[in-house]
């Protein structure tokens, strides 16, 4: 079904008497701004009162994760580094709601802040970016084209662990910065390749930069990857009602499952964890992964069930993975 078909069947919400403009918090990267503006356009289509000019006021907030560009986030605290300052602005009343890449949003939110809306998921898969000198890979064996000892740039312990499990000869080096910066560093020859989320490339009109899309059976995506989430103050009933009009029920279900998995595992920021849920023929299929950074241990498991029990399914699979994994993986 086309997205336009889905939108045409959504209920339009009643007009609200709220002071305008609505203040939207966002990071300042090109991807964050693209996601925020797409959200604003979608909300405007659903609420007649927001059709007026200058409805939204963007507040660009620089986060700790944006400032630290020379280290992996896992080395400096990991969870919440792309949201801490945004949460503070929301709590203080400087913004009315905030737009996040859900994979960057910590599982337990600060008191008084809720995840009020999850938007329709973009493609959750990872992609391999390659320098011009490397042959294009076979999607069924995406790493085979990488030369012995290739240098791959990644800031994700999840991606690193899965890549090294398949190709322990490869060297993974930290690469930070926005999507365009990472692409440029591969093109310059500093890295032989990099791993990125297809969702971000598509939202920026850069999907053609992917040498190959990696199937979830080969690389399990991050929990929440490809989903945009919107947070608000819990007591802001009016905004919660507005956002309910554009909530995607499938995105809500899969995000509950994936975040339930994270909550049950409760790994340190150095623990490689993957979580990917999808709904097939009315049934929720959830895949979870736990690994060591160096790829020497990797465990996958799957669970299926009713989407209405999404969070419970996620927690159950998380408990299963934890019980089958070495205890040292979850030590801080």
């Amino acid at each position: 079904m086309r997205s336009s078909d889905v939108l045409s069947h959504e209920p339009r919400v009643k007009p609200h008497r709220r002071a305008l403009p609505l203040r939207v918090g966002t990071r300042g990267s090109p991807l964050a701004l693209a996601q925020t503006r797409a959200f604003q356009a979608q909300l405007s289509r659903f609420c007649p009162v927001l059709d007026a000019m200058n409805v939204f006021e963007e507040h660009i907030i620089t986060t700790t994760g944006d400032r630290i560009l020379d280290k992996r986030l896992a080395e400096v605290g990991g969870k919440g580094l792309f949201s801490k300052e945004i949460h503070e602005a929301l709590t203080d009343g400087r913004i009315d709601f905030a737009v996040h890449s859900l994979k960057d949003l910590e599982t337990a939110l600060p008191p008084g802040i809720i995840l009020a809306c999850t938007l329709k998921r973009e493609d959750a898969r990872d992609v391999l970016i390659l320098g011009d000198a490397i042959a294009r890979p076979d999607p069924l064996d995406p790493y085979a084209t990488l030369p012995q000892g290739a240098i791959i740039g990644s800031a994700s312990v999840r991606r690193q662990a899965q890549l090294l499990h398949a190709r322990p000869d490869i060297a993974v080096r930290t690469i930070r910065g926005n999507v365009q910066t990472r692409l440029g560093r591969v093109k310059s020859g500093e890295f032989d390749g990099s791993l990125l989320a297809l969702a971000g490339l598509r939202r920026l009109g850069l999907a053609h930069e992917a040498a190959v899309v990696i199937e979830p059976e080969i690389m399990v995506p991050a929990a929440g990857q490809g989903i945009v989430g919107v947070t608000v103050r819990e007591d802001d009933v009016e905004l919660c009602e507005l956002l309910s009009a554009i909530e995607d029920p499938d995105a809500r279900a899969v995000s509950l499952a994936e975040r339930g998995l994270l909550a049950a595992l409760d790994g340190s920021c150095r623990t490689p964890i993957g979580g990917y849920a999808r709904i097939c023929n009315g049934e929720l299929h959830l895949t979870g992964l736990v690994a060591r950074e160096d790829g020497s241990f990797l465990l996958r498991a799957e669970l299926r069930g009713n989407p209405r029990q999404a969070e419970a399914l996620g927690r159950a699979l998380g408990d299963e993975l934890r019980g089958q994994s070495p205890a040292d993986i979850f030590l801080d």
Side-chain angles (χ1 to χ4, degrees):
M1 180 180 292
R2 297 172 300 173
S3 59
S4 59
D5 293 331
V6 175
L7 295 178
S8 66
H9 289 85
E10 292 284 356
R12 292 175 66 86
V13 298
K14 63 183 179 183
H16 287 253
R17 297 175 180 176
R18 188 183 184 93
L20 300 176
L22 293 173
R23 299 163 300 166
V24 187
T26 176
R27 294 169 57 210
S29 72
L31 177 56
L33 291 173
Q35 292 178 163
T36 296
R37 289 163 189 172
F39 155 71
Q40 292 170 182
Q42 188 172 354
L43 187 57
S44 294
R45 289 196 297 270
F46 279 92
C47 185
V49 76
L50 300 182
D51 286 337
M53 295 294 290
N54 300 318
V55 168
F56 298 102
E57 182 179 276
E58 287 178 1
H59 288 246
I60 295 176
I61 300 170
T62 301
T63 68
T64 303
D66 295 314
R67 289 192 292 267
I68 301 174
L69 296 176
D70 59 342
K71 297 178 181 179
R72 291 191 314 176
L73 297 181
E75 298 172 3
V76 289
K79 297 179 180 178
L81 290 182
F82 284 122
S83 55
K84 177 177 178 292
E85 289 81 1
I86 297 176
H87 293 329
E88 291 170 351
L90 190 55
T91 300
D92 295 345
R94 286 176 278 145
I95 58 175
D96 297 305
F97 42 57
V99 182
H100 308 263
S101 292
L102 191 60
K103 71 174 183 177
D104 294 330
L105 195 62
E106 65 270 39
T107 310
L109 298 178
I113 294 177
I114 61 170
L115 178 60
C117 177
T118 49
L119 302 183
K120 184 176 177 61
R121 185 173 224 165
E122 234 315 346
D123 197 314
R125 294 175 293 177
D126 289 299
V127 303
L128 185 60
I129 306 295
L130 293 175
D132 294 337
I134 301 178
R136 301 302 92 174
D138 178 349
L140 298 179
D141 192 5
Y143 311 136
T145 192
L146 294 172
Q148 189 79 10
I151 300 174
I152 302 299
S154 178
S156 163
V157 294
R158 172 190 59 84
R159 291 174 177 144
Q160 172 183 309
Q162 294 184 79
L163 179 59
L164 291 179
H165 183 74
R167 285 286 305 273
D169 62 287
I170 286 174
V172 178
R173 301 286 183 263
T174 300
I175 185 171
R176 292 289 315 284
N178 62 39
V179 170
Q180 291 86 344
T181 297
R182 299 185 193 199
L183 292 173
R185 293 178 73 180
V186 173
K187 288 182 178 180
S188 72
E190 183 179 352
F191 297 91
D192 294 307
S194 184
L195 293 158
L196 293 172
L198 177 56
L201 292 176
R202 291 181 66 167
R203 286 173 175 144
L204 291 170
L206 295 171
H208 60 277
E209 297 286 355
V212 66
V213 177
I214 307 172
E215 294 301 324
E217 293 78 18
I218 298 173
M219 178 169 284
V220 180
Q225 188 156 297
I227 299 176
V228 171
V230 185
T231 55
V232 299
R233 288 181 293 277
E234 188 174 16
D235 60 2
D236 195 333
V237 177
E238 188 173 56
L239 265 188
C240 288
E241 182 181 341
L242 281 172
L243 292 172
S244 69
I246 59 170
E247 173 88 284
D248 183 87
D250 285 358
R252 170 61 72 174
V254 299
S255 64
L256 283 172
E258 293 166 9
R259 287 168 68 80
L261 172 79
L262 290 181
L265 288 170
D266 193 28
S268 77
C269 56
R270 292 177 177 272
T271 306
I273 295 173
Y276 177 53
R278 60 268 188 220
I279 296 176
C280 304
N281 299 320
E283 185 177 54
L284 189 141
H285 297 202
L286 176 63
T287 301
L289 172 139
V290 173
R292 282 200 176 97
E293 284 185 66
D294 63 4
S296 61
F297 171 82
L298 186 146
L299 175 66
R300 268 192 202 88
E302 296 185 1
L303 192 62
R304 299 184 181 190
N306 191 325
R308 295 181 179 179
Q309 279 79 53
E311 186 173 5
L313 288 169
R315 288 182 176 273
L317 186 58
D319 289 340
E320 179 183 332
L321 285 167
R322 176 180 277 276
Q324 296 179 19
S325 300
D328 65 277
I329 285 180
F330 301 100
L331 298 178
D332 289 321

